[in-house]
Amino acid sequence: MKRILLLCLLATFFTTQDSFAQRKESRRKKSKNKTEEKAPEGKSDKNGFKPYSKVITKDAVTDSGLFQVHKIKDEFFYEVPFSQLNKDMLWVTRIAQIPNGLGGGYINAGSKTNEQVVQWERFQDKILIKIKSYASVADSTKAISNSVRVNNYEPTLYAFDIKAFDKDSTAAVINVTKLFSSDVKGISALSGRLRKQYKVKKLDANRSFINSVKSFPKNIEVKQDFTYDAAEPPTERAAESISLQVNQSMILLPEQPMQPRLYDPRVGFFTVKQYDYGSEALKADQKTYIRRWRLEPSDVEAYKRGELVEPVKPIVYYLDPGTPESLKEYIKQGIEDWQKPFETSGFKNAIIAKDAPTPEEDPEFSPEDIRYSVVRYVASTTRNAVGPSVSDPRSGEIIESDIIWYHNHLRSYRNRYLLETGAANPSARTLDTPEEEIGEMMRMVIAHEVGHALGFPHNMAASYAYDVASYRDGAFTQKNGIAASLMDYARYNYIAQPGDTNIRFVRQMGPYDHYATNWGYRWIPEATSPLMEKATLNQWIQEKAGDPVYKFGRQSSSFDPQSQTEAIGNDPVKASTYGIKNLRYVAQNLPSWTSSKTNDYQDLEELYGELIGVYSRFVGHVVTNIGGVFENLKTPAQGGVVYTHLDEASQKESMQWLQNNLFETPTWLVDPAILQNIDHAGYAEKIRRTQSRYLNRLLSFDRLGRLIDAETTQTEYYSALEMLSHLRSGIWSETRRGASVDIYRRNLQRSYLERMAYLMTDEGPKSRSGRPGFEGALRYDISASDVRPLVRGELQKLKKTLRSARNASVDTMTKYHYEDAIARIDQLLDPK
């Protein structure tokens, strides 16, 4: 009996346990699949999810792609696949259409206003868009990756309620109408600065709507038409409104990021940066990768054998549908000029130019579509061209880029061509530059901007690679152009003189462009990680070390005579001497080349203003020599030092040149045949403004600091004391000669006193920080430095000289001027 009872109890126990386990498993499955439960037809389930057919009705117009997109009347829905959750997507906001004048001319149709990586995530009954950052990273297998995650919590861009699930429960349905019809700051095309400038109050919902939403296999494109209430719009002020069309692009980034290539500052590339907390270094190790397109050989074995191979996916640029027919040829040539440098890196047909497809050929084509790189032709009076791009922050892979060409930019090149080459180049002496020459200029500008879009920054040292004398050699210029790189700001050969023959005046692709393209784009098959490439990349640099043709000079090196914008030749004094000689010839002939032909003075006025600008640049190149420091980037293994001061003799020569060509009044700029036909007054002010600009640059805390620093490292140097003494002696030379001081010199001398007062009273720059990639001003404690004693000493010497000169003054105006100068010095030295 006991045995039977025991068996019954055991049977009951196991039955109960089995039943409990089944209920537990049932609850687990229900919990796991609760989002997949289907509500009875026509009713919401207990979680509030509606049946799919009640959300996505038969009226829906559906577009399939990365996400399913549905339009029902004026509302838009996304089906977000669970398979795409937590994947990296690049979100780019651009302006598609823009009102005239917004942003002052440097914002246009096609301008990118924001670029960010996002991930779509599920949180309970919501779908979130999270902004993802790769500024701080760590290997996910390492414990510190958890700390990186919790200390870099990403913001939520937007949150959506899940409305339903698709028919097989693999995607969540959300309503995105509010996201794209509201003024969401994270994806707005109107920056805070512009909102403040135009006194934007709010988005007017009644005049704002979603234009279109299109889904493609790897991207979604949304166009919004927005109108803002604005008290002071840039145009149509009476409407108190700003209307613009915005394009939102979201593209799925590669599941496997491109293998990054480590940056080396000795070769110029734009970069992306990450702090790697998983590094073995005893710090957050900053990893810097170059930005470049993903080029992989279509035939690996042939590439290894050294044969030219087409890439798996070439770089394709489309021409804006609004491009004038007469310019298309030159734009295409400028794009495909980069085929030769890519051949140096082992790829043929790596970059291709195409016309945009017609609406009949591809009704879906849009210049804002992130799948297409486009040379945008902008109907704007702005004179500029730019080459921006968007890239994958994980690897530096460039995903897409738009070259922006502003319509009036050709006028800038015509003017510069006339002013800088007109003395030696008869075909430039006209307002109607021959079409083929204008086309060649445009071709080179487009190629320059494409270079930026390929990852290359300006290389300001490339024009310093050639000797000044070479620019007068026809055979040399035809072969080598005017700089070792197209990425320099070396536009024209302003050194060649009248009588020089067979001269090339316009820039072209150079040997550095081939070298840098090979360094950044050559595929290294045996290297399976960035570190494995490093030795090879370093070897390529070492092979070219010491050859100025392959030197990279940062644009930020404003202190480096080698790396100057708009300069050519390896001797600024000689180059600027030739340049001014040519400019004087042009100035004499400017009326006959312009107003005499057109019978009005508009072009004469414009070109004269730009002529002063060209003269100013020539002067600025020589100013950089004073306190100049050469920057030659190198590794310790290469030996030598990175920074070297320009020699004393060259600096003294530069100071004398400035006295002769800047501070002694450039009277050739004061031509009545020009000035009295373009303005009623202000002639002396034009000269004063130019002289003061460069006087102030000479008398800057930054330059004085470098001159003082030279005493700590050099045995022979041009001291700050010598520089100030030479400057004072030259600017106030009339005091020694007993000569009258004319209006130009009086203006200059008062500007000198104003600048000396600034040096005595200002505290100097507060920080060295500036634009990324650009050097800030040298920062040091001015009050504890030699600056104030030097300035005080110079002013006391000057005061003594002025007292003697005042008594010997030959005219009343000079005497008054000296008395005023003495009073100013007294006030400065003893304010009480």
Side-chain angles (χ1 to χ4, degrees):
M1 186 66 178
K2 289 180 180 179
R3 184 178 180 185
I4 294 172
L5 181 58
L6 178 60
L7 289 172
C8 288
L9 287 172
L10 287 171
T12 302
F13 173 78
F14 285 116
T15 301
T16 303
Q17 287 294 313
D18 185 57
S19 176
F20 175 77
Q22 289 178 7
R23 289 197 304 273
K24 184 176 180 181
E25 178 66 16
S26 177
R27 284 197 301 271
R28 188 184 67 81
K29 287 182 177 180
K30 286 180 180 179
S31 175
K32 180 181 178 182
N33 299 321
K34 70 176 183 177
T35 61
E36 302 174 13
E37 293 176 355
K38 302 296 188 297
E41 190 64 29
K43 295 183 179 180
S44 299
D45 66 12
K46 62 183 180 181
N47 294 307
F49 303 136
K50 293 182 179 180
Y52 182 83
S53 61
K54 292 299 180 181
V55 178
I56 308 302
T57 67
K58 58 181 175 48
D59 297 325
V61 178
T62 300
D63 192 17
S64 297
L66 179 64
F67 296 171
Q68 289 258 61
V69 172
H70 308 282
K71 183 178 186 294
I72 305 173
K73 296 183 180 179
D74 293 329
E75 293 191 307
F76 291 85
F77 295 83
Y78 280 3
E79 286 187 29
V80 183
F82 296 144
S83 61
Q84 299 292 6
L85 293 180
N86 305 111
K87 289 190 175 180
D88 288 329
M89 300 184 188
L90 191 65
W91 190 302
V92 179
T93 303
R94 293 185 191 279
I95 297 176
Q97 296 191 48
I98 187 171
N100 182 40
L102 185 76
Y106 285 90
I107 300 175
N108 52 266
S111 287
K112 177 183 67 175
T113 61
N114 199 15
E115 174 185 342
Q116 56 197 331
V117 175
V118 301
Q119 288 185 352
W120 295 76
E121 296 181 4
R122 169 85 184 270
F123 175 72
Q124 297 178 356
D125 297 336
K126 293 182 181 292
I127 294 292
L128 311 178
I129 303 178
K130 301 286 285 186
I131 299 174
K132 180 77 174 177
S133 171
Y134 280 93
S136 299
V137 300
D139 189 326
S140 60
T141 62
K142 296 185 176 182
I144 198 171
S145 65
N146 182 66
S147 181
V148 170
R149 178 177 56 81
V150 300
N151 285 287
N152 292 272
Y153 189 61
E154 290 107 354
T156 299
L157 177 66
Y158 211 84
F160 307 89
D161 292 327
I162 296 174
K163 301 297 184 184
F165 297 93
D166 69 343
K167 295 176 182 178
D168 56 1
S169 298
T170 59
V173 179
I174 58 174
N175 189 330
V176 296
T177 309
K178 189 175 180 181
L179 169 66
F180 292 119
S181 60
S182 302
D183 189 18
V184 179
K185 297 297 191 295
I187 57 172
S188 174
L190 209 57
S191 67
R193 179 184 65 82
L194 292 178
R195 291 169 189 262
K196 183 177 181 180
Q197 179 180 349
Y198 300 122
K199 296 185 178 180
V200 173
K201 301 171 186 176
K202 62 181 178 65
L203 181 72
D204 186 342
N206 293 325
R207 292 183 290 165
S208 301
F209 52 89
I210 301 171
N211 185 292
S212 65
V213 182
K214 297 178 181 179
S215 189
F216 302 97
K218 290 188 177 181
N219 64 300
I220 297 176
E221 305 292 327
V222 179
K223 270 195 170 63
Q224 308 159 289
D225 278 275
F226 278 178
T227 295
Y228 295 86
D229 291 331
E232 296 182 5
T235 187
E236 304 296 341
R237 295 252 173 141
E240 293 194 355
S241 300
I242 293 175
S243 293
L244 65 163
Q245 190 177 86
V246 183
N247 193 90
Q248 307 287 353
S249 296
M250 185 183 73
I251 186 168
L252 181 67
L253 289 173
E255 191 79 29
Q256 179 62 42
M258 176 187 74
Q259 180 171 297
R261 179 156 291 181
L262 287 166
Y263 169 67
D264 191 307
R266 295 171 292 175
V267 184
F269 268 91
F270 294 124
T271 61
V272 296
K273 296 180 179 181
Q274 300 175 350
Y275 280 103
D276 184 0
Y277 286 87
S279 168
E280 296 302 319
L282 299 178
K283 63 175 183 177
D285 195 9
Q286 187 177 66
K287 300 287 180 64
T288 305
Y289 303 121
I290 67 171
R291 293 177 59 183
R292 57 178 181 154
W293 294 80
R294 186 190 292 231
L295 289 185
E296 298 167 336
S298 56
D299 186 335
V300 172
E301 295 307 315
Y303 190 90
K304 288 180 178 179
R305 291 193 299 270
E307 299 174 24
L308 288 180
V309 173
E310 292 189 349
V312 173
K313 183 181 179 182
I315 304 164
V316 178
Y317 278 95
Y318 293 89
L319 270 60
D320 190 312
T323 305
E325 290 292 336
S326 61
L327 300 177
K328 286 185 175 181
E329 171 191 356
Y330 303 113
I331 294 175
K332 289 179 179 178
Q333 288 174 342
I335 296 167
E336 295 187 349
D337 277 339
W338 283 96
Q339 287 190 356
K340 289 297 181 182
F342 275 119
E343 287 178 7
T344 303
S345 68
F347 294 100
K348 67 178 178 180
N349 300 323
I351 185 167
I352 300 168
K354 292 184 178 182
D355 288 320
T358 64
E360 292 73 27
E361 292 169 333
D362 184 358
E364 301 287 351
F365 179 85
S366 167
E368 287 78 39
D369 189 331
I370 200 168
R371 294 176 298 165
Y372 305 116
S373 293
V374 179
V375 178
R376 303 292 300 256
Y377 197 95
V378 180
S380 168
T381 57
T382 299
R383 297 186 184 183
N384 198 18
V386 294
S389 62
V390 296
S391 59
D392 185 342
R394 305 170 303 174
S395 64
E397 178 185 358
I398 297 174
I399 303 298
E400 176 267 357
S401 80
D402 282 345
I403 309 302
I404 311 295
W405 174 274
Y406 297 90
H407 179 71
N408 274 23
H409 199 32
L410 279 177
R411 191 174 182 88
S412 296
Y413 277 83
R414 181 207 68 176
N415 290 0
R416 292 277 297 273
Y417 192 54
L418 184 153
L419 295 170
E420 295 184 27
T421 77
N425 180 15
S427 68
R429 301 168 187 170
T430 175
L431 297 176
D432 299 314
T433 312
E435 181 181 325
E436 63 273 17
E437 294 178 37
I438 279 286
E440 177 69 3
M441 296 174 214
M442 184 177 196
R443 172 182 178 178
M444 292 300 107
V445 181
I446 291 293
H448 177 95
E449 301 306 335
V450 169
H452 287 320
L454 296 174
F456 303 118
H458 291 133
N459 177 5
M460 294 307 185
S463 54
Y464 202 85
Y466 299 155
D467 187 79
V468 168
S470 299
Y471 289 89
R472 302 188 61 187
D473 183 332
F476 180 90
T477 59
Q478 291 297 339
K479 178 182 178 181
N480 301 286
I482 60 175
S485 172
L486 188 67
M487 301 313 296
D488 199 327
Y489 263 0
R491 303 174 201 267
Y492 295 114
N493 181 351
Y494 58 77
I495 290 173
Q497 297 293 294
D500 295 342
T501 59
N502 193 34
I503 299 295
R504 180 174 176 88
F505 291 98
V506 181
R507 59 184 168 176
Q508 66 184 21
M509 199 75 69
Y512 173 87
D513 302 313
H514 289 257
Y515 161 71
T517 303
N518 181 73
W519 190 91
Y521 280 94
R522 177 165 287 279
W523 189 60
I524 305 175
E526 62 274 13
T528 57
S529 72
L531 284 176
M532 290 180 68
E533 293 184 335
K534 197 169 182 179
T536 300
L537 296 172
N538 182 62
Q539 180 186 342
W540 292 345
I541 295 173
Q542 294 279 43
E543 289 170 357
K544 306 295 187 183
D547 189 336
V549 165
Y550 302 105
K551 174 180 167 55
F552 173 67
R554 300 186 299 158
Q555 184 175 358
S556 60
S557 301
S558 59
F559 51 81
D560 186 351
Q562 298 170 108
S563 300
Q564 298 201 67
T565 180
E566 312 287 357
I568 58 173
N570 63 356
D571 186 331
V573 169
K574 288 182 180 178
S576 290
T577 299
Y578 279 128
I580 288 179
K581 185 178 179 181
N582 283 337
L583 210 55
R584 294 179 70 149
Y585 177 92
V586 171
Q588 292 171 358
N589 291 278
L590 203 55
S592 64
W593 295 349
T594 58
S595 54
S596 297
K597 305 292 184 185
T598 62
N599 199 33
D600 68 49
Y601 295 110
Q602 182 177 344
D603 287 291
L604 177 62
E605 181 177 4
E606 179 180 317
L607 281 160
Y608 176 74
E610 293 190 28
L611 183 145
I612 292 178
V614 174
Y615 164 74
S616 297
R617 284 193 289 273
F618 293 160
V619 169
H621 299 155
V622 179
V623 168
T624 304
N625 275 354
I626 309 297
V629 179
F630 291 121
E631 180 181 64
N632 294 300
L633 300 175
K634 57 179 67 177
T635 62
Q638 290 178 261
V641 297
V642 173
Y643 296 101
T644 308
H645 290 266
L646 181 63
D647 65 276
E648 180 184 6
S650 295
Q651 293 192 59
K652 287 181 177 179
E653 179 191 24
S654 299
M655 176 56 75
Q656 188 57 53
W657 188 96
L658 292 169
Q659 295 288 0
N660 296 340
N661 292 277
L662 174 66
F663 298 133
E664 286 186 15
T665 308
T667 53
W668 60 273
L669 284 172
V670 190
D671 185 348
I674 297 175
L675 293 176
Q676 289 184 282
N677 285 314
I678 64 175
D679 208 338
H680 72 287
Y683 312 142
E685 177 61 15
K686 293 180 188 296
I687 302 300
R688 187 207 67 79
R689 191 182 301 121
T690 300
Q691 291 176 321
S692 294
R693 179 184 304 120
Y694 292 102
L695 175 64
N696 291 348
R697 290 190 185 180
L698 278 173
L699 295 175
S700 69
F701 290 120
D702 198 56
R703 196 174 311 278
L704 289 169
R706 293 199 300 274
L707 289 168
I708 293 168
D709 265 351
E711 300 181 29
T712 66
T713 58
Q714 310 294 113
T715 54
E716 296 182 1
Y717 52 86
Y718 189 39
S719 70
L721 175 60
E722 286 180 287
M723 189 276 278
L724 289 171
S725 178
H726 291 161
L727 187 62
R728 171 179 49 80
S729 179
I731 288 179
W732 296 90
S733 61
E734 292 90 345
T735 60
R736 299 192 312 276
R737 296 184 282 112
S740 295
V741 185
D742 66 21
I743 184 173
Y744 300 106
R745 295 282 289 182
R746 293 197 301 267
N747 286 345
L748 171 63
Q749 290 167 3
R750 282 189 286 268
S751 294
Y752 170 89
L753 293 174
E754 288 176 1
R755 190 61 178 181
M756 295 293 270
Y758 165 82
L759 294 176
M760 281 292 288
T761 57
D762 196 85
E763 294 303 317
K766 303 299 184 292
S767 172
R768 291 193 68 179
S769 62
R771 278 200 291 160
F774 284 73
E775 296 289 339
L778 175 64
R779 183 186 179 192
Y780 57 100
D781 189 334
I782 304 301
S783 62
S785 75
D786 283 342
V787 171
R788 300 272 160 74
L790 285 167
V791 173
R792 187 180 299 277
E794 287 298 303
L795 290 174
Q796 287 172 338
K797 282 187 177 181
L798 177 58
K799 179 181 174 181
K800 183 178 179 181
T801 303
L802 286 169
R803 282 176 171 169
S804 299
R806 175 186 58 186
N807 298 329
S809 295
V810 296
D811 66 85
T812 302
M813 192 63 235
T814 297
K815 180 177 181 180
Y816 286 170
H817 169 61
Y818 286 162
E819 288 177 344
D820 176 72
I822 292 169
R824 291 180 185 225
I825 294 172
D826 284 340
Q827 178 65 26
L828 183 59
L829 295 180
D830 188 9
K832 296 180 182 180

